[in-house]
Amino acid sequence: QSQALDQLVDFQSAIPKISRMGGGGSRTRLFACVRCHLLKTKEQFDKNQCENCPDFDSFEENTTSIYEGIVTLINPKESYVGNVLGLSDVIPGMYAMTVG
């Protein structure tokens, strides 16, 4: 149980913090890495670039705001969906299904 709780806490810190609709009515805009499809905010890419792509050069050249579908991977190596999408060797987080 303790290990599962530790993984959940690690996962929660890995995903972007997204404001819910309501209150101020604002939403955080997410961008997808064009190579691995990792979804993060511009601020997160500026701070940590893309943890999956060692040759990530710049935000403008390596991300897109045009994507469809979102999948959240908690344990990519053991995830059926992660394996089917070719995302078994990535960090836990949110990923776009397709980028365009």
Side-chain angles (χ1 to χ4, degrees):
Q1 268 184 339
S2 177
Q3 184 180 9
L5 183 58
D6 289 343
Q7 286 180 336
L8 178 60
V9 170
D10 288 344
F11 171 70
Q12 288 174 334
S13 66
I15 61 173
K17 294 180 178 160
I18 302 172
S19 301
R20 294 178 185 240
M21 290 301 287
S26 65
R27 290 176 41 175
T28 300
R29 187 169 182 191
L30 297 177
F31 297 86
C33 173
V34 295
R35 293 184 204 128
C36 72
H37 300 193
L38 178 64
L39 289 171
K40 299 186 348 176
T41 64
K42 180 179 185 322
E43 293 77 19
Q44 289 172 320
F45 275 115
D46 286 342
K47 182 177 178 183
N48 297 319
Q49 298 188 331
C50 180
E51 294 87 347
N52 295 318
C53 303
D55 56 344
F56 187 94
D57 297 332
S58 71
F59 174 81
E60 290 77 17
E61 294 178 14
N62 293 287
T63 64
T64 182
S65 61
I66 301 169
Y67 61 87
E68 290 187 9
I70 297 175
V71 62
T72 302
L73 298 174
I74 296 172
N75 191 346
K77 290 190 187 313
E78 296 181 16
S79 168
Y80 173 79
V81 174
N83 285 312
V84 169
L85 296 175
L87 296 172
S88 59
D89 293 325
V90 296
I91 65 165
M94 294 177 17
Y95 291 84
M97 298 287 291
T98 61
V99 296

